[in-house]
Amino acid sequence: GLKLRPGRYDLVIEYVGVYFINPEEVTYQYKMEGLRNDWSDPLKNSSVLFSQLPDGRYTFMLRAMNSEGIFNEEPLTYSIVIATPLWKQWWFYPLLVIGLLSIIVAIVKRREYQLRMEKASLEEAVQERTEEVVNQKQEIEAQRDSIMSQNEEIRRINTSMTDSITYARRIQRAVFPPDQRLHRYFPESFILNRPKDIVSGDFFWLARKNGKLVVTVSDCTGHGVPGAFMSMLGITLLNDLVNTRGILEADTLLNYLKNEIIRALRQKGKADSANDGMDMALCVYDPERSVLQYSGAFNPLVLVRDQVIQMVKADPMPVGIGAITGKDFTRHEMKIQKGDVIYLYSDGFEDQFGGEKDKKFSRRRFRELLLEIHGLNMPEQKRTLQSTLEEWMNGREQVDDVTVLGIRF
């Protein structure tokens, strides 16, 4: 097997199958246990790239099939171990805390000793150093005034930065589709968008083109200002792909968007290059045919029909450089029935810590909540989600941006 030091690795595995009758028709299937447990689609490539593989234990399995459809009896296996980094070891943080406490105690003890020595020295020379003490007092007062002036400048700069970010929120909100447009296209719908910070790394986008409706909920890398920059880039690219180029296939949109983000951010998969991207659930709805297309990058689609909840799984890759090399996004099509309810959402709600045991809300609990509320009118669904999140947090800090979109057909 292969053993590597801690880190993230781009691994290329090359292989060859021998079939003397018709070697060109040999195809391969592989899977990487520990990363994905299902076999890949048959392919003829004699190598595979795994990008940014994190620490862990993996088993690469390969099987070959000849032109007669016969696989080799036992798949070829190869173990790969990427060592756990130092900071993930169980003893690292306790040792770090002990070290920091020791340093703090030493600093406090040393300071106490210095103060005692200074006090003794002052008591012995109080008469002789009266003038010096006065001068020191004046110097301290001057330093105090200087510190107060610096604090005021810091407050001014902080206020200016906050005002700028607040104004950036107005700009970001302006490019988000207004609620009126959502309700015009989908009369029974709601959108819940709750940023962690002033600006959001989640975004919701909606467009009508050639009689079809395109709607998406996206979760960009990070939150706050970096996430907001990514959201603006995503909205700009979607406007170009849909409204200018007229692309109206869900999978094609994600594939084009992935390539445009890689090009815009000059992503090359190297350690010093940007690895930003976005998780996304995107739908294209044809009202005339009542047909819904869905493609997803990590973010699934939830459909509730006849009191039964269904989940359409997303592809396990982001829209960006982290996508699996050579693999396109999958398009799912479904016939929509009257009364169907769909939900698109980021992972912020599921990942929020809270409750009595300070645990994540969890994917299972979130889907049970959606099934429970799906029969309510859409404004009441939104209020229920908001109140449930508030009760779960119970004053705790919000950990990520939260976005949930609900549509009843």
Side-chain angles (χ1 to χ4, degrees):
L2 176 64
K3 294 184 177 180
L4 299 171
R5 291 184 175 183
R8 286 180 172 268
Y9 292 87
D10 294 335
L11 295 183
V12 177
I13 301 178
E14 297 182 345
Y15 43 81
V16 64
V18 179
Y19 182 54
F20 294 108
I21 298 175
N22 195 354
E24 292 80 6
E25 294 302 318
V26 174
T27 58
Y28 307 91
Q29 284 186 299
Y30 69 88
K31 65 178 178 178
M32 179 71 83
E33 292 188 346
L35 181 65
R36 291 184 57 183
N37 292 325
D38 54 337
W39 289 98
S40 68
D41 295 331
L43 69 163
K44 293 186 177 181
N45 295 343
S46 60
S47 66
V48 62
L49 168 64
F50 295 94
S51 299
Q52 297 294 296
L53 199 62
D55 58 277
R57 294 179 175 272
Y58 306 94
T59 301
F60 178 77
M61 304 182 69
L62 177 72
R63 61 185 183 184
M65 181 177 71
N66 60 24
S67 59
E68 298 176 358
I70 299 176
F71 282 102
N72 54 309
E73 294 182 358
E74 293 293 333
L76 178 67
T77 62
Y78 188 74
S79 65
I80 301 171
V81 178
I82 301 178
T84 303
L86 182 68
W87 58 271
K88 285 188 177 180
Q89 301 292 337
W90 67 268
W91 49 261
F92 178 79
Y93 287 104
L95 185 62
L96 180 63
V97 171
I98 293 172
L100 290 175
L101 290 176
S102 300
I103 293 173
I104 292 172
V105 169
I107 292 174
V108 171
K109 292 294 184 182
R110 179 174 176 81
R111 182 58 181 163
E112 289 176 350
Y113 173 77
Q114 291 175 339
L115 289 174
R116 288 195 298 269
M117 295 300 294
E118 289 175 2
K119 180 180 179 182
S121 177
L122 287 173
E123 288 175 350
E124 294 175 1
V126 64
Q127 296 299 327
E128 299 176 1
R129 299 178 59 184
T130 300
E131 183 177 352
E132 181 180 351
V133 170
V134 170
N135 292 335
Q136 289 177 347
K137 178 182 177 182
Q138 294 174 347
E139 182 179 351
I140 291 172
E141 290 176 347
Q143 291 176 350
R144 179 199 62 194
D145 294 340
S146 176
I147 291 173
M148 292 178 63
S149 176
Q150 292 174 0
N151 287 339
E152 182 62 31
E153 178 66 13
I154 291 172
R155 281 193 293 270
R156 186 191 65 80
I157 293 173
N158 183 62
T159 301
S160 177
M161 292 176 61
T162 302
D163 291 344
S164 297
I165 297 174
T166 302
Y167 191 80
R169 177 178 61 183
R170 294 175 56 188
I171 297 174
Q172 187 183 42
R173 289 290 181 184
V175 300
F176 284 4
D179 290 350
Q180 295 86 343
R181 186 188 305 171
L182 173 64
H183 295 147
R184 186 166 67 247
Y185 293 164
F186 299 103
E188 291 192 79
S189 61
F190 74 86
I191 180 69
L192 168 62
N193 178 240
R194 178 174 170 147
K196 178 185 183 300
D197 301 310
I198 298 175
V199 290
S200 175
D202 287 0
F203 72 85
F204 150 69
W205 185 81
L206 176 70
R208 182 196 290 271
K209 183 73 174 179
N210 296 337
K212 295 182 179 181
L213 299 173
V214 183
V215 62
T216 182
V217 168
S218 179
D219 181 1
C220 300
T221 302
H223 43 73
V225 175
F229 273 113
M230 284 297 298
S231 74
M232 298 293 284
L233 175 61
I235 291 172
T236 300
L237 293 174
L238 283 169
N239 277 321
D240 175 62
L241 293 172
V242 174
N243 296 322
T244 303
R245 303 192 201 180
I247 300 173
L248 295 173
E249 294 79 31
D251 56 332
T252 306
L253 273 171
L254 289 193
N255 289 325
Y256 271 78
L257 184 60
K258 173 188 69 177
N259 294 331
E260 291 295 334
I261 287 175
I262 292 173
R263 184 176 65 178
L265 299 181
R266 300 177 183 175
Q267 296 177 334
K268 299 180 180 178
K270 297 181 179 179
D272 58 347
S273 63
N275 290 319
D276 303 284
M278 55 189 70
D279 302 340
M280 178 178 289
L282 184 144
C283 292
V284 179
Y285 179 57
D286 186 346
E288 292 186 2
R289 298 170 52 227
S290 295
V291 172
L292 182 76
Q293 299 177 27
Y294 158 76
S295 290
F298 281 121
N299 288 353
L301 176 142
V302 169
L303 167 67
V304 182
R305 173 182 292 170
D306 299 329
Q307 306 295 322
V308 177
I309 190 167
Q310 306 172 37
M311 184 191 73
V312 184
K313 291 185 177 181
D315 290 303
M317 58 183 180
V319 179
I321 191 65
I324 300 174
T325 303
K327 180 174 176 60
D328 290 336
F329 287 96
T330 306
R331 177 171 63 190
H332 305 269
E333 287 194 4
M334 61 198 78
K335 189 73 173 179
I336 293 298
Q337 301 177 10
K338 183 174 178 57
D340 285 351
V341 183
I342 66 168
Y343 298 95
L344 308 179
Y345 52 90
S346 64
D347 59 3
F349 206 119
E350 299 173 348
D351 290 344
Q352 178 59 49
F353 283 91
E356 295 181 358
K357 298 182 179 180
D358 194 25
K359 292 186 176 181
K360 289 184 178 182
F361 193 82
S362 81
R363 179 173 298 180
R364 176 190 58 80
R365 187 181 284 110
F366 181 61
R367 289 175 187 163
E368 290 175 353
L369 175 61
L370 294 179
L371 180 60
E372 179 183 338
I373 69 173
H374 84 278
L376 303 175
N377 62 58
M378 305 314 276
E380 185 62 28
Q381 288 192 40
K382 179 177 179 179
R383 286 191 292 270
T384 303
L385 288 172
Q386 290 174 320
S387 62
T388 302
L389 183 61
E390 288 289 347
E391 292 174 6
W392 181 258
M393 291 171 61
N394 193 23
R396 293 179 178 84
E397 180 183 3
Q398 185 173 334
V399 300
D400 199 0
D401 302 317
V402 174
T403 303
V404 182
L405 168 67
I407 299 173
R408 177 181 283 121
F409 294 93

